[in-house]
Amino acid sequence: MHKKRIIPCLDIKDGKTVKGIHFENLKEVGNPVELAQRYAQEGADELVFLDITATVENRKTFAELVKKIARVINIPFTVGGGISTVKDVGELLNAGADKVSINSAAVYNPDLIDELAKHFGSQCIVIAIDTNLVDNFWRVFVQGGRKATKLDTFVWASEVEERGAGELLLTSMKHDGTKKGFAVMLTSKIAQLVNIPVIASGGAGTLKHFADILTEGKADAALAASVFHFGEIRIKELKNFLASKQIPVRLG
Amino acid sequence: MKVAILQYNAGNVQSVRFALERLGVSPIVTYDQQTLISADKIIFPGVGEASTAMQFLKEKQLDKLIPTLKQPFLGICLGMQLMCKFSEEGKTTCLGIFEETVRLFDNSQNLACKVPHIGWNNLQKLKSPLFKGLSENCEVYFVHSYYVPLNSYTIAQTDYLVPFSAALHKKNFFATQFHPEKSATVGEKILQNFLEL
């Protein structure tokens, strides 16, 4: 049976792991390679690494880090942050990443999605959508959630699928960092709208939140950061809980 | 032991190399015919699109070489699909080692099953030394939109929309639709088993 996935996300700044609360106030929580190894051993299904430095000089540091991660990690991982060209993607995949996540660059230049899908195959192209409610509309945000666009999240989700995205990583900024639960309604609507897997992100606080987003929310995968980084939720405990609720998960 | 990874324009060459290195093997990554012929084991990885990949193999005349190889040979994901006769992806004539047609998943009757099939799923009806030491329903990682139907070469199957071939075997040719290089300890065991064939 096909399993629902649990994905810890590591925000990386200058080669170190950080976690932003509402995308700001960063604080360091550890060495990304060690943390990644720990999550893989504890039963994470995939990992996501987001480079939030995104300055030219630090891009090299990130590619080197990706290589270090690829050497030790025996599960799939996605990398993202500031990726804007076919060349960027080629470098990260060559360093050993399995998938790349594209956000702002896809909004500014939607043709990039077609190009990447053609070049590398849809399976490695994850389109990340940061969204927030503005005047009752779920608007797409860019630049790490700092800038609103006029794009409607539903319209954009359909468009990226059509252009060749392999997966959607949907972050509700309204829920992110609150620990009050994922955006269940929104995610469910998006998941029923598109025919590609949806990874839900933002708002994980309790075991039940994960169960809700994977059932009612119809997400294929749930992503979280701080609840894992600070040990508030252990992956094994989470998987056992989900299994007890008849949600198919990999118990290893 | 000389292990060669067949290098072509596929995405996961590096991941396969690192996975072998974790098992203590230093593979050679190459498309040179002589190096391939003299290798003890060959791994044929694959992430990408079928017609583009076949084009590359033809340019290097590897389409002629591969079916004649005699050593244990393992195709992974797109590698497995290219070892079949024909793929619906790009309507591509492939290597023809397995007399099968690679088909696109049809989820029109079950929209809750997304395509591509991405994630962990179970292996069932295991019958091969490739799976020595593993039990029924062990979990491996898949990423694919096309699949090989069940056939006489099937040595493991998985259920997603339909039961399909998770692995194939014919003579010295082995193939997996899933990614052993990304399938945690289960995948490591499969790669180890392949190296010990």
Side-chain angles (χ1 to χ4, degrees), chain B residues 5-18:
Chain B
I5 299 176
L6 203 155
Q7 182 181 29
Y8 68 117
N9 52 346
N12 65 337
V13 169
Q14 192 76 287
S15 310
V16 173
R17 181 156 77 118
F18 289 148

Side-chain angles (χ1 to χ4, degrees), chain A residues 231-245:
Chain A
E232 291 159 29
I233 292 181
R234 304 310 285 252
I235 293 168
K236 272 215 164 71
E237 163 201 29
L238 171 59
K239 292 262 187 105
N240 286 332
F241 173 80
L242 295 172
S244 78
K245 301 285 174 199

